[in-house]
Amino acid sequence: PRLEALDGMRWVASIQIVLYHMGQWTGWDSQGPAFWGSVWTQLFFLLSGFVLAYAELSKPPKTGSARPSTLRYIRRRLVVIYPAFLAS
């Protein structure tokens, strides 16, 4: 299931992050909420993690599996994320 309200909040956070970086690059700094870069970044990652986990763990169980496995989810996420981490 999609969480459209949270997708919208992720979109707002990502736009705020872009505005923050544009302000850094152009020298146009302000103290307003659009320029709280670390706050928006943390919110984006928090919401993204929740949305990914919620979507994965709320799927109906596959045949032969009693329920979604948190450990299986974490393993799959590591398989996707860890190679990119090592490459960077």
Side-chain angles (χ1 to χ4, degrees), residues 22-76:
M22 286 176 60
Q24 296 291 309
W25 294 328
T26 62
W28 178 58
D29 284 331
S30 178
Q31 298 301 317
F35 296 94
W36 300 339
S38 64
V39 173
W40 291 112
T41 302
Q42 291 173 23
L43 177 64
F44 177 79
F45 281 119
L46 176 77
L47 291 173
S48 295
F50 178 79
V51 167
L52 285 171
Y54 179 81
E56 181 67 27
L57 295 174
S58 63
K59 286 181 182 176
K62 294 180 180 177
T63 56
S65 176
R67 62 186 178 97
S69 167
T70 303
L71 185 59
R72 191 171 348 137
Y73 167 73
I74 291 171
R75 276 194 218 129
R76 276 192 275 162

Side-chain angles (χ1 to χ4, degrees), residues 14-24 28 34-35:
S14 66
I15 294 300
Q16 297 297 340
I17 293 166
V18 169
L19 290 175
Y20 171 77
H21 285 291
M22 286 176 60
Q24 296 291 309
W28 178 58
F35 296 94

